[in-house]
Amino acid sequence: SSGINAEYGHELIEAYRRYQDDTLFFNQYGISTEILLNLFNDLHPDLEFTIESSKSKLPFLDVLLKIEDTRVETEVYHKDTDSFNYLHFASNHPQHIKRNIPYSLARRIRGIVSKKEARVRSYLALRTRLLAKGYPDQLIRDAIMKAEKTSRLDIITSSKTKEKKEDFQVLPLVTTHNQLLDGTAKKLVAAAGKCEIKSVKKY
């Protein structure tokens, strides 16, 4: 494989600058999977790669990539061992956390699944699982509608773009609820104000 390494090694090394557990690679060199695997394992003596390939569909993290005609379509990938053991709606957790779970799961579907008919199937399966966990049907339906109205591009790029706030840095102070600390928290907020430090307080 030294000849292949000499021909393609520089390009591949340039493409892999970070350590990653999983890497998605489209074979555009027209060489066999076995030769590609040997090429990767020749790049560095301390690196050992395994490879999984397919001409039709392939899972990558939580995404299932499927080749349909000349397009790559994506769906949510679930491992065979996934139990879908979501938090039960009757559990002793804050309401805002439980009420946000349907939307978070529906938003994930909206961001990953590229074709609408596949999204509909995923939404129906999600609804069935959440109903089994005691979630109100209307809450589930509202979450799905809200997610579907959200731009897929906005969901995909939201984790990469953050609003930049000029001259504003946050130093969080988080405590467990304790009535004995209420007075201390108020004193800290007052002290921050004297130092011209903006503060957001919640007692």
Side-chain angles (χ1 to χ4, degrees):
S1 62
S2 58
I4 299 294
N5 201 352
E7 185 174 356
Y8 300 116
H10 176 71
E11 288 80 1
L12 290 176
I13 291 174
E14 289 294 322
Y16 290 85
R17 296 185 179 180
R18 297 173 58 189
Y19 290 102
Q20 299 181 12
D21 293 328
D22 299 279
T23 302
L24 178 65
F25 179 80
F26 289 90
N27 180 7
Q28 56 185 343
Y29 298 108
I31 57 180
S32 71
T33 301
E34 182 180 357
I35 292 177
L36 272 176
L37 181 59
N38 290 335
L39 169 60
F40 289 140
N41 286 325
D42 282 349
L43 293 176
H44 194 281
D46 293 334
L47 295 179
E48 182 177 355
F49 290 86
T50 59
I51 195 168
E52 182 180 355
S53 64
S54 174
K55 294 183 179 180
S56 57
K57 59 182 180 179
L58 193 68
F60 179 68
L61 302 178
D62 61 344
V63 179
L64 179 65
L65 298 100
K66 303 172 68 175
I67 298 177
E68 298 183 2
D69 297 325
T70 58
R71 294 175 56 86
V72 176
E73 304 291 351
T74 54
E75 296 183 13
V76 178
Y77 173 68
H78 300 287
K79 292 183 178 180
D80 294 337
T81 55
D82 194 340
S83 62
F84 304 102
N85 191 21
Y86 304 133
L87 183 70
H88 199 284
F89 195 74
S91 64
N92 187 22
H93 285 76
Q95 281 292 320
H96 72 278
I97 292 178
K98 294 186 291 187
R99 298 186 69 83
N100 192 53
I101 286 176
Y103 174 65
S104 296
L105 294 171
R107 179 183 170 90
R108 175 170 172 255
I109 292 172
R110 181 68 177 102
I112 291 178
V113 184
S114 55
K115 297 180 71 173
K116 187 170 183 178
E117 53 266 34
R119 285 201 304 275
V120 171
R121 292 195 300 269
S122 295
Y123 288 144
L124 289 175
L126 174 64
R127 176 173 172 265
T128 299
R129 295 172 189 134
L130 289 177
L131 286 173
K133 290 294 183 179
Y135 285 79
D137 191 27
Q138 192 59 51
L139 176 64
I140 300 170
R141 292 177 181 273
D142 290 346
I144 291 173
M145 289 182 61
K146 180 180 178 182
E148 187 61 24
K149 290 179 180 179
T150 306
S151 165
R152 184 169 181 247
L153 181 61
D154 288 344
I155 294 176
I156 295 173
T157 58
S158 63
S159 61
K160 298 179 181 179
T161 57
K162 294 182 179 180
E163 182 180 357
K164 185 177 180 181
K165 297 183 178 181
E166 185 178 359
D167 297 329
F168 184 67
Q169 295 182 343
V170 177
L171 179 63
L173 172 65
V174 181
T175 65
T176 56
H177 177 68
N178 187 331
Q179 292 182 347
L180 297 177
L181 293 176
D182 287 350
T184 303
K186 292 178 181 179
K187 291 178 181 178
L188 288 172
V189 171
K194 293 179 180 179
C195 298
E196 298 183 354
I197 300 175
K198 299 178 182 178
S199 62
V200 178
K201 54 184 180 295
K202 183 177 181 180
Y203 300 129

